[in-house]
Amino acid sequence: MNGAHANGAAANGAGGAAFPGLKLVPAAQESYKAKDFKSDQEVRWCPGCGDYAILAAFQGFLPELGVPRENVVIVSGIGCSSRFPYYLSTYGMHSIHGRAPAIATGLAASRPDLSVWVITGDGDGLSIGGNHLIHALRRNVNVNVLLFNNRIYGLTKGQYSPTSEAGKVTKSSPMGSLDAPFNPVSLALGAEATFVARTVDSDRKHLTSVLRAAAAHEGASFVEIYQNCPIFNDDAFEPLKDPAERDLRLLRMEHGEPLTAGGRGVVADGFGGLRLAGPDEAGEDAVLRHDAHREDPGYAFALSRLDQPAFEHVPIGVFRDVRRPTYDALMNEQVAEARSAQGEGDLGALLASGDTWTVE
C-alpha cells in the first residue's frame, strides 16, 4: 500500500456524519456491492460453521462504508476466524497468534487513511493475545475488533478456551475445566473501551446493525459475536437461537429504549448494580432506559454481568459508545509538533551520527 491518499483525505473523507471514524479515509470513486468484496479463494470452514454467516454479513456490510477496497485492511491472528483475510478482496494480513491488535495498532497509527479491522477468536484474542487486546482498547486506537466467541478452540481440535464454562469436558480437560471463564464484554469494559457490543452470528440484521455502529465509532470498537462451532461445541448458544426461546432470553439493548426481555425489566439494585425484575416487582417507571452514552463504564459493566450460565437473559446490542481522543490522533499531533519544532529530520544522518565503524 502507498500513502497517496493520506494528504487531503479529510476533505474528501468517506466518514462524514454516518461514519466519523472514517473521516480521514478517502471516499470511494465507485459504488461497491457485496460481490466486490469476495475474493477468488474457496471458502473453507466446516459445514455449518457460524463463520460463514459472519463472513456473508461482513461482505454485505462493507459497501456501506463507501471506502475504496485498497483502504480497507483486515488483520487476523490464528484460528478458524483468522482465515477472513483470504476471503475478502481487500488488503489483509494473517498474522501470528494473539498479535493482531498490535499489528493493527501500527497500521492505524501510521496510516489514518485506512479502515482497519481485527478478526480474532476467544482463544486467539483472550489467551496469548489478551495483553495486546486490552491495551489496544485502553489506548483507544481507531480499529474495529470483532471477537468470534464459540467457547472452544476449534482450529486445534477442541480444547477448552478462556470462555469455556467451568466443568467443560474437552480433550484437554477430560475431568472438566477448572478455570473460571472470561466474560469478553466485561473484560473490554474493564479496559475502559469506548465502544463495546455483542451480537449473534445467525441474526444477520442485528449483526449488521452492530457492525454499522462499530464502524461509525471514532476510536477502538470491540464486538463480541456468539459463533457456533458445529464440530467441537455444537449448539453452545442454541437457547438464544431457538425461535420459541430467543425473544424470552435476549435482552435487546437500544439507546433510549426500556431494557426488557421475556416480560421482565432491568431495575437498579443498589450500589450501581442491576437486576431483572418481574412485572409484579417493578412498575413501568422503575424499568431503566438504556443509556449507551453514559461516560462511567460502571453502568455498562453491570449490564454485562446480567449474563446467566444457562443464558436465561443475555444482553445484546451496544453496551457502551462514548467519545474520547484516539491514540493515533494524539500520536500524530505529537509527531507534527516535533516536526514543527525540529524539522523533518534526516534518518541517514541520525544513523551515521556518533561513533560509527565499517565492517570489511
Side-chain angles (χ1 to χ4, degrees):
M1 289 177 286
N2 60 50
H5 294 301
N7 295 326
N12 301 306
F19 296 108
L22 301 177
K23 65 186 179 184
L24 297 180
V25 183
Q29 300 303 307
E30 57 182 301
S31 296
Y32 291 121
K33 296 181 180 179
K35 65 180 179 63
D36 296 315
F37 286 94
K38 296 178 181 179
S39 77
D40 60 358
Q41 299 299 298
E42 179 187 358
V43 181
R44 298 183 65 182
W45 286 304
C46 301
C49 177
D51 289 353
Y52 286 101
I54 301 172
L55 176 63
F58 192 56
Q59 289 168 330
F61 157 73
L62 283 176
E64 290 188 30
L65 297 180
V67 170
R69 289 183 299 172
E70 61 269 25
N71 290 82
V72 178
V73 183
I74 314 298
V75 184
S76 66
I78 296 297
C80 297
S81 63
S82 293
R83 297 183 62 82
F84 253 61
Y86 296 113
Y87 305 142
L88 290 156
S89 186
T90 66
Y91 277 100
M93 177 178 287
H94 189 177
S95 69
I96 56 179
H97 207 190
R99 273 63 177 187
I103 294 167
T105 294
L107 271 172
S110 61
R111 289 288 303 272
D113 61 322
L114 300 177
S115 174
V116 182
W117 297 79
V118 171
I119 307 296
T120 186
D122 49 307
D124 181 59
L126 298 177
S127 56
I128 193 171
N131 188 53
H132 295 290
L133 176 65
I134 61 174
H135 289 297
L137 299 178
R138 172 180 71 88
R139 290 172 174 143
N140 200 33
V141 183
N142 196 23
V143 298
N144 306 288
V145 180
L146 307 184
L147 185 141
F148 300 6
N149 181 11
N150 54 27
R151 306 175 85 190
I152 203 74
Y153 276 100
L155 184 69
T156 51
K157 308 299 186 284
Q159 301 92 334
Y160 75 94
S161 84
T163 57
S164 296
E165 63 274 23
K168 182 75 171 180
V169 175
T170 72
K171 293 177 181 179
S172 56
S173 55
M175 297 178 67
S177 169
L178 301 175
D179 292 359
F182 270 133
N183 178 322
V185 168
S186 297
L187 182 74
L189 290 165
E192 299 212 25
T194 52
F195 181 99
V196 180
R198 177 190 288 141
T199 185
V200 183
D201 59 1
S202 58
D203 189 338
R204 180 162 181 167
K205 182 178 179 181
H206 189 268
L207 171 56
T208 302
S209 71
V210 169
L211 292 175
R212 192 176 293 123
H217 180 73
E218 188 173 3
S221 66
F222 175 85
V223 179
E224 177 190 21
I225 306 175
Y226 284 159
Q227 177 257 331
N228 191 50
C229 175
I231 304 302
F232 297 109
N233 202 22
D234 197 21
D235 292 338
F237 306 105
E238 187 56 29
L240 306 181
K241 299 181 178 186
D242 182 352
E245 293 285 329
R246 64 190 177 202
D247 290 337
L248 299 175
R249 295 175 181 267
L250 289 175
L251 178 65
R252 297 181 180 272
M253 299 179 294
E254 296 285 348
H255 180 71
E257 296 298 320
L259 290 165
T260 59
R264 304 176 73 187
V266 176
V267 299
D269 194 26
F271 300 105
L274 302 175
R275 66 183 176 87
L276 281 155
D280 295 336
E281 263 189 284
E284 185 177 331
D285 294 340
V287 174
L288 298 178
R289 290 182 177 272
H290 184 42
D291 183 2
H293 305 317
R294 191 179 297 193
E295 191 65 33
D296 181 0
Y299 159 75
F301 187 87
L303 271 176
S304 76
R305 308 312 295 174
L306 289 174
D307 285 344
Q308 301 295 322
F311 298 119
E312 253 181 69
H313 294 95
V314 176
I316 63 170
V318 178
F319 288 81
R320 187 178 195 230
D321 184 0
V322 298
R323 294 289 301 273
R324 200 172 79 219
T326 66
Y327 178 87
D328 29 309
L330 294 173
M331 187 202 77
N332 284 310
E333 284 178 10
Q334 287 189 342
V335 171
E337 184 179 343
R339 283 176 172 162
S340 176
Q342 303 177 40
E344 285 293 327
D346 185 331
L347 180 59
L350 175 64
L351 293 175
S353 66
D355 295 332
T356 62
W357 61 92
T358 301
V359 178
E360 298 293 345

